[in-house]
Amino acid sequence: MTLDQYFQHNRDRHLAELTEWLSIPSVSSLSEHKQDTLKGGEWIAENLRKIGMENVQMIQTAGHPVVYGDWLHAEGAPTVLVYGHYDVQPVDPLHLWETEPFKPAIRDNKIFARGATDDKGQSFMHVKAVEALLKEKGSLPVNLKFLIEGEEEIGSVNLPKFVEENQDLLASDVIVISDTGMQEKGQPAICYGLRGLAGVQIDVKGAKGDLHSGLYGGAVQNALHALVRLLDSFRDENGVIQVDRFYDKVEPLTDEEKTAYEALNFSDEALKKELEIDALFGEKGYTSLERMWTRPTLEINGMWGGFEGEGIKTVLPNEAHAKITCRLVPHQDPDEIVELLTKHVNAHTPPGVTVEVTPFDKGAPYVTPYDHPAIQAAGASYERVYGVPTQFIRGGGSIPIVATFDQILQKPIVLMGFGLPGENFHAPNEHFHLENFDQGLRVIADYYSTLPEVLKK
């Protein structure tokens, strides 16, 4: 059979296998799913063995293990390191799911389940593309290594140490990751830049306990009011971040990038319609694409404190809390941003309370020249399968390990995404369009097949 015939003939089996993997609730952030997460890693390790990968092993870290496997018999050919993750996000709020998140359902040529697009579905395509090449050709055109981790959704906390200590094991000529998205339906895109991440939790403490608002109101600081004042100090009415030196290392877009973004014909009206809002908001003086891809942000992700039950309880809360994350752009350092945020909080703490700032998620931004032959070859593979030119874009999200790969392994990173913007990753009713599953298999197989000749040039 040709590869195309192989994919057609085995489609039902492939989807049945993907359904089995998606049924495992490998939620890395919840301790009650620790064994499920391990099971998710074991499942993909066994699947790698079945397709003919060698040296497959679960390698323990301080947290969830990483899955490794390789096939290294293409003498003189480049080596590709394929990265993915087998862990998934929590499913809350559960009542908003139309079908159960870990009982995959196919409808309208989409597969619905947690992890369908982020990232089990996309990682699985690489495994099945390799399977097809080995079955139909008897060998691979490239040497190939898989690294599939179980902690991406909690910031890949243990992977940087693993990468640092296992550079020989992970040695390669190019790194391929499918954990990003396409620009729109039928329009392939390669992401050449990602924003970084810096997160903190702010804990405000007032009196020794909650106070009666009648006895003490007007004389004692309310922790919630103090938190609101503090949070309001972070941005002005135009969305400009007010933290001293926050923008110091932010570089303006090049004219070439601006021209490229204008050519994408991005529609603010379409975005408003998709999100069901009547207006967009962001840093003054920039387009929506620039705000989402190339400008840093500071967002309140959650806040809590005081009485939240039914009815009313007339107290002055003595505690209030908030979580904040900043998306960072090239040259911004997460540790430095956390330090600047902490200084800002200390300088703007209202009287009558104390405030503690605790860092959590961190990840460096990443950007690479998109004219590298390995990246251009991926664009050509998309174009041969989809029949339209590939767009080169930046992504607003973060994949913390990308910057780690860049800093430690120092090899080109190709972000070959197949998700679509509306597929609800991290949200209820996450799904993956199966037309991109089908096309993606062919793109990946084509890319592996053409890469040796491209890298020779």
Side-chain angles (χ1 to χ4, degrees), residues 200 243 245 333-344:
V200 299
V243 176
R245 298 179 47 227
D333 177 72
D335 291 320
E336 183 179 5
I337 293 300
V338 168
E339 182 180 342
L340 296 179
L341 293 175
T342 303
K343 288 180 179 179
H344 180 92

Side-chain angles (χ1 to χ4, degrees), residues 21 37-49 53-61 63-70 81-87 123 127 145-151 159 162 169-170 405:
W21 196 24
T37 305
L38 179 63
K39 184 179 177 182
E42 291 171 340
W43 190 96
I44 194 60
E46 181 58 27
N47 206 269
L48 288 173
R49 293 187 188 99
M53 296 299 290
E54 301 169 349
N55 303 309
V56 177
Q57 53 189 309
M58 301 274 289
I59 305 176
Q60 192 57 55
T61 70
H64 299 297
V66 300
V67 176
Y68 174 85
D70 61 35
L81 175 65
V82 179
Y83 165 85
H85 62 92
Y86 61 84
D87 67 321
S123 295
V127 180
K145 300 177 179 181
F146 277 99
L147 177 66
I148 305 177
E149 70 155 320
E151 297 185 328
L159 199 56
F162 178 86
L169 181 71
L170 303 177
F405 284 145

Side-chain angles (χ1 to χ4, degrees), residues 252-388:
L253 269 182
T254 65
D255 291 339
E256 181 185 13
E257 284 182 302
K258 284 189 175 184
T259 300
Y261 294 168
E262 289 170 1
L264 296 177
N265 295 318
F266 181 84
S267 170
D268 281 0
E269 291 304 315
L271 180 60
K272 288 190 290 184
K273 184 177 180 180
E274 176 192 341
L275 301 179
E276 299 180 8
I277 55 178
D278 61 5
L280 300 175
F281 175 80
E283 187 183 0
K284 189 175 182 180
Y286 297 92
T287 67
S288 295
L289 274 187
E290 290 170 344
R291 292 167 180 165
M292 293 189 293
W293 290 355
T294 70
R295 298 297 297 172
T297 68
L298 188 156
E299 301 287 356
I300 303 166
N301 306 124
M303 50 197 299
W304 66 99
F307 179 67
E308 298 179 20
E310 185 178 355
I312 190 168
K313 185 179 181 182
T314 53
V315 295
L316 305 180
N318 74 314
E319 291 185 5
H321 314 271
K323 291 183 185 290
I324 288 176
T325 53
C326 299
R327 298 290 177 172
L328 310 179
V329 297
H331 307 298
Q332 287 186 301
D333 177 72
D335 291 320
E336 183 179 5
I337 293 300
V338 168
E339 182 180 342
L340 296 179
L341 293 175
T342 303
K343 288 180 179 179
H344 180 92
V345 168
N346 291 335
H348 290 80
T349 296
V353 294
T354 58
V355 179
E356 183 177 357
V357 179
T358 305
F360 52 97
D361 283 356
K362 290 181 187 175
Y366 167 79
V367 67
T368 191
Y370 56 80
D371 58 359
H372 189 283
I375 295 176
Q376 289 296 312
S381 291
Y382 273 115
E383 186 169 345
R384 278 189 288 272
V385 174
Y386 280 87
V388 296

Side-chain angles (χ1 to χ4, degrees), residues 72-289:
L72 305 174
H73 303 293
E75 187 175 351
T79 298
V80 178
L81 175 65
V82 179
Y83 165 85
H85 62 92
Y86 61 84
D87 67 321
V88 300
Q89 281 276 325
V91 298
D92 306 276
L94 187 59
H95 71 277
L96 294 180
W97 286 81
E98 294 181 22
T99 51
E100 293 187 38
F102 296 112
K103 289 187 177 179
I106 294 177
R107 55 183 185 271
D108 301 326
N109 204 32
K110 307 168 190 173
I111 186 165
F112 287 78
R114 174 58 88 227
T117 189
D118 182 20
D119 174 50
K120 288 179 178 177
Q122 297 201 57
S123 295
F124 185 74
M125 288 192 298
H126 285 272
V127 180
K128 296 299 106 175
V130 169
E131 173 192 288
L133 287 165
L134 285 172
K135 292 288 186 182
E136 292 306 304
K137 307 293 184 183
S139 64
L140 297 179
V142 293
N143 297 295
L144 202 121
K145 300 177 179 181
F146 277 99
L147 177 66
I148 305 177
E149 70 155 320
E151 297 185 328
E152 196 276 342
E153 299 294 5
I154 52 174
S156 299
V157 287
N158 293 295
L159 199 56
K161 181 181 179 183
F162 178 86
V163 174
E164 183 70 48
E165 294 176 349
N166 292 276
Q167 294 184 51
D168 289 341
L169 181 71
L170 303 177
S172 62
D173 298 292
V174 60
I175 302 166
V176 177
I177 301 174
S178 293
D179 195 14
T180 51
M182 296 168 51
Q183 183 65 3
E184 60 186 46
K185 186 178 177 68
Q187 177 56 68
I190 290 180
C191 180
Y192 67 93
L194 295 165
R195 291 192 289 191
L197 184 68
V200 299
Q201 178 168 317
I202 299 174
D203 299 297
V204 178
K205 181 73 166 61
K208 63 181 181 179
D210 289 352
L211 301 177
H212 190 293
S213 65
L215 296 178
Y216 296 98
V220 177
Q221 181 68 272
N222 181 318
L224 277 170
H225 280 289
L227 177 63
V228 169
R229 285 187 57 192
L230 184 55
L231 295 178
D232 189 53
S233 72
F234 280 117
R235 300 194 317 197
D236 68 11
E237 66 275 10
N238 294 314
V240 179
I241 297 166
Q242 301 298 293
V243 176
D244 285 346
R245 298 179 47 227
F246 187 88
Y247 294 105
D248 279 5
K249 296 182 179 179
V250 178
E251 293 185 351
L253 269 182
T254 65
D255 291 339
E256 181 185 13
E257 284 182 302
K258 284 189 175 184
T259 300
Y261 294 168
E262 289 170 1
L264 296 177
N265 295 318
F266 181 84
S267 170
D268 281 0
E269 291 304 315
L271 180 60
K272 288 190 290 184
K273 184 177 180 180
E274 176 192 341
L275 301 179
E276 299 180 8
I277 55 178
D278 61 5
L280 300 175
F281 175 80
E283 187 183 0
K284 189 175 182 180
Y286 297 92
T287 67
S288 295
L289 274 187

